[in-house]
Every structure is written in C-alpha cells, then in structure tokens.
C-alpha cells in the first residue's frame, strides 16, 4: 500500500428577540430570579415587550444600547458594566415596571465581556438539536454526550484533512482555541466520526496539550478522546489544543468530511488535501442544520496548486459544515 501523502499542514452574531407575547405575572411584581440575566429575562417576558420594543423605549429616553447587547444581557453572555449600560439598566427597571434597584442590585460580580461568557448548558442544548438520536457520540458517551465540552467556548477551529493514494482519509490535523466559561475546566473532549466502520485502528498524537484518554469504537466508526490542558483554567482563560489523528489502513474511498459546531464560533477553517494520484472530479462545500437534515448552501470548490480546497465561512453559526467530493479512478 502506498504511504499517505502528507503535504505541509498550515500552521456574532444576530440575536433572537424575546417572544412578542409571553406569560404575564401580576403587574409590577419584582422578579424572583437571583441572577441578572434570569431576572431581566423574566421581567421582559412578563412585560410582553420584545427586545426591539425595549430598544425603542430606551432610545426615546436618550439611552443608546443595541438590540444585540440587550440580547446578550438577557441570555447571560455579558453584563452591563460601562456607565451608559448602567444607566440603561436603571431605565429598563422603570420601563418594565420594576422597583428601583431590582436589576441593578444583581450586578455585584464582574464577568468577562463578549461571546466567551456563554452560559453553561448553551452548547449542550444546541448539540441536542443538532445530533440525531442514536448518533455515535451519544452511544459512546451516553448522557454525557449532551454535556460535551459544556464549560468551554470554542473561539476558532482549524482542521486539515489529508487523503492517501487510495482516496481514503489518512490524517486529521486540528488546532482548537477555546475559552473557559467556568472555573476549573481542565480538558477538552474531541470526537471524530470515521467514514468506514472497518477502520482497524486510530492513533492520536497531541502537539499542544496532553492525551488523557482514548475511546475507539470500531463498530461505530467513532473516536473520542480527552486532551488535558495541564492546569485548571479560570473563567475567561484561553487554551490551545493541537493534535493529529492518524487512521489505520483502509481501502474504502472517502467521499466527504464534516464537523459539527454546536454554537457559533469566530472562525472555522476546513482544509482538505487530495493525493495527486487520486484527484476528485467534483468538489463542493455545504452546510446542514442538523445531522439528519439536507445539505444546503452548496457551492462548487476548485482545486488549487497544492491539490487542496477549503471552506472558511464568513459567519460561522451553529450547525454542520462539510466538504464532499467525487473521485476519479476505480475503487480499490
């Protein structure tokens, strides 16, 4: 069998408005939630206002806060900290009919700003919408599948896939940058679905991080492994994980590769190198909302001088991103 071809490996969002109508409580009663985002969300629903209408009312009072910022506040992605934001909270209490200080008194602890403070469980809820029942990840991890990296926020994922002369995926090389959403996070769990259940073995080499556990289920074509950071992260800390996954010898040609991203990331790059002895005749990128959904946003891709193609979505929302191809030459 020919040796795998290994060319050099290259080194937010809109918002969801609240429902226009929601369950109402007895008028003017303060929220009973004990965190700012929960209290804000509860009071907003009770008022029946959307984020757009709240934004409009604030503008009439001379307070400029975008609907996106309001969305982040009520979803726990960030908290008001600047002077203008704190003034907005005071006005929101009045607009929503709350007692003075009902929301302001909950702003007792500072939190890192931005997307990286995604609330615990957001990724898990999103993953449950994307994965089909009985998916390999669910079978391998059981109930823990829906707690998959729930305390980490993915900032960027760069993935390089190498095919051999038989048209089989021989290597995955991944660089993953994450930020801790909670104190004490010490590892990332990686998962790869292999496209041939006859794959005899896999080998993981970690260049940045430390391999702690590997679970390979040949009958599922699934490899799950834990990579430790070497220290517990504090909330807001970032970590980089680099690894390669080499796949044992196979003879069933591959025809696609895709990655599930439960929640939006700042950057995702998928780069695929084809062996010069087995070039594809057709290549296209695509997106799917869930594992059982139809491919959409299909667009043709053209090989470059290195016999490679890539996708790098300008706006990387949650879902499944992939590249598929048809190869020249007979199956081996």
């Amino acid at each position: 069998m020919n040796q795998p071809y290994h060319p050099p490996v290259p080194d937010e969002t809109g918002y969801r408005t609240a429902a226009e109508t929601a369950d109402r409580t007895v008028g003017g009663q303060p929220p009973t939630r004990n965190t700012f985002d929960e209290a804000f969300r509860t009071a907003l629903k009770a008022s029946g206002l959307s984020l757009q209408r709240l934004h409009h009312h604030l503008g009439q009072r001379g307070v400029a806060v975008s609907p996106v910022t309001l969305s982040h506040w009520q979803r726990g992605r960030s908290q008001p900290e600047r002077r203008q934001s704190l003034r907005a909270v005071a006005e929101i209490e009045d607009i929503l009919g709350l007692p003075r200080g009902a929301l302001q008194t909950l702003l007792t602890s500072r939190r890192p700003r931005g997307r990286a403070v995604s609330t615990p469980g957001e990724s898990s809820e999103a993953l449950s919408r994307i994965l089909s029942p009985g998916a390999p990840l669910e079978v391998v991890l059981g109930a823990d599948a829906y707690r998959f990296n729930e305390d980490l926020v993915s900032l960027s994922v760069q993935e390089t896939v190498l095919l051999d002369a038989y048209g089989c995926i021989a290597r995955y090389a991944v660089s993953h940058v994450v930020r801790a959403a909670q104190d004490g996070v010490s590892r990332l769990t990686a998962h790869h679905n292999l496209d041939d259940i006859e794959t005899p073995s896999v080998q993981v080499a970690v260049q940045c991080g430390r391999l702690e556990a590997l679970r390979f289920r040949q009958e599922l074509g699934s490899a799950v492994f834990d990579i430790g950071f070497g220290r517990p992260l504090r909330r807001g800390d970032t970590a980089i994980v680099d690894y390669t996954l080499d796949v044992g010898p196979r003879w069933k040609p591959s025809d696609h590769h895709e990655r599930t991203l439960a929640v939006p990331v700042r950057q995702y790059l998928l780069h695929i190198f084809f062996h010069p002895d087995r070039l594809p005749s057709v290549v296209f990128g695509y997106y799917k909302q869930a594992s059982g959904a139809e491919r959409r946003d299909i667009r043709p891709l053209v090989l470059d001088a290195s016999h490679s193609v890539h996708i790098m979505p300008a706006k990387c929302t949650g879902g499944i991103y992939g590249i598929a191809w048809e190869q020249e030459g007979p199956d081996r």
Side-chain angles (χ1 to χ4, degrees):
M1 176 176 176
N2 294 348
Q3 292 299 314
Y5 176 64
H6 298 315
V9 177
D11 249 311
E12 245 182 352
T13 67
Y15 57 89
R16 291 183 297 181
T17 59
E20 291 292 326
T21 57
D23 294 339
R24 297 175 181 268
T25 57
V26 178
Q29 292 300 313
T32 58
R33 306 292 183 172
N34 59 7
T35 64
F36 172 79
D37 55 292
E38 290 176 331
F40 180 27
R41 191 164 55 248
T42 299
L44 189 64
K45 288 182 179 179
S47 74
L49 291 177
S50 68
L51 290 179
Q52 286 281 16
R53 292 300 301 166
L54 180 59
H55 164 71
H56 175 74
H57 286 305
L58 287 170
Q60 288 184 321
R61 298 178 181 219
V63 180
V65 178
S66 73
V68 172
T69 297
L70 293 173
S71 176
H72 286 180
W73 291 353
Q74 64 106 14
R75 296 174 68 188
R77 289 186 173 184
S78 63
Q79 284 191 359
E81 294 182 3
R82 297 185 177 127
R83 181 177 300 177
Q84 178 80 345
S85 297
L86 296 176
R87 180 189 167 197
V89 175
E91 297 293 346
I92 288 171
E93 290 173 345
D94 188 48
I95 293 169
L96 300 183
L98 300 175
R100 176 67 81 182
L103 296 178
Q104 296 174 74
T105 55
L106 298 177
L107 297 172
T108 55
S109 60
R110 298 290 184 179
R111 302 175 62 182
R113 297 188 185 100
R115 178 64 183 89
V117 292
S118 171
T119 54
E122 179 183 355
S123 177
S124 304
E125 293 173 7
L127 193 61
S128 68
R129 294 192 296 269
I130 293 173
L131 290 181
S132 298
L137 181 64
E138 183 183 55
V139 176
V140 174
L141 296 183
D144 287 341
Y146 297 99
R147 301 181 59 193
F148 189 67
N149 295 325
E150 66 176 352
D151 292 331
L152 291 170
V153 175
S154 291
L155 301 181
S156 71
V157 182
Q158 180 173 315
E159 188 168 23
T160 301
V161 178
L162 308 176
L163 278 76
D164 63 19
Y166 291 90
C168 303
I169 294 176
R171 170 176 286 185
Y172 306 87
V174 178
S175 180
H176 200 153
V177 182
V178 295
R179 176 166 284 151
Q182 295 289 325
D183 291 339
V185 189
S186 61
R187 66 178 58 83
L188 173 144
T189 300
H191 175 241
H192 285 262
N193 278 331
L194 309 176
D195 55 6
D196 184 357
I197 62 173
E198 295 182 2
T199 300
S201 63
V202 296
Q203 182 174 351
V204 178
V206 178
Q207 290 76 42
C208 190
R210 180 177 60 218
L211 182 64
E212 295 185 348
L214 170 62
R215 286 149 286 185
F216 173 53
R217 294 285 297 273
Q218 182 182 19
E219 75 279 10
L220 299 172
S222 179
V224 179
F225 44 97
D226 298 327
I227 298 177
F229 305 136
R231 63 185 178 91
L233 303 182
R234 296 182 63 184
R235 187 180 190 176
D237 286 352
T238 56
I240 301 174
V241 166
D242 286 322
Y243 66 86
T244 56
L245 174 67
D246 287 301
V247 182
R250 297 179 298 162
W251 293 270
K252 178 182 177 182
S254 305
D255 61 9
H256 76 286
H257 174 69
E258 57 189 29
R259 174 170 284 265
T260 299
L261 299 171
V263 296
V265 299
R266 294 180 183 176
Q267 177 181 289
Y268 174 58
L269 170 64
L270 172 57
H271 193 186
I272 297 184
F273 285 87
F274 296 93
H275 194 282
D277 292 344
R278 191 68 181 268
L279 298 178
S281 56
V282 176
V283 190
F284 58 90
Y286 62 88
Y287 169 80
K288 298 193 300 185
Q289 286 187 315
S291 56
E294 295 291 326
R295 292 171 177 170
R296 68 184 207 189
D297 300 336
I298 296 173
R299 63 185 186 90
L301 303 174
V302 179
L303 295 179
D304 61 17
S306 301
H307 313 301
S308 74
V309 296
H310 72 276
I311 58 172
M312 189 174 181
K315 183 178 181 182
C316 197
T317 58
I320 300 173
Y321 295 84
I323 295 177
W325 57 87
E326 297 176 10
Q327 291 183 314
E328 297 176 344
D331 293 346
R332 306 285 179 121

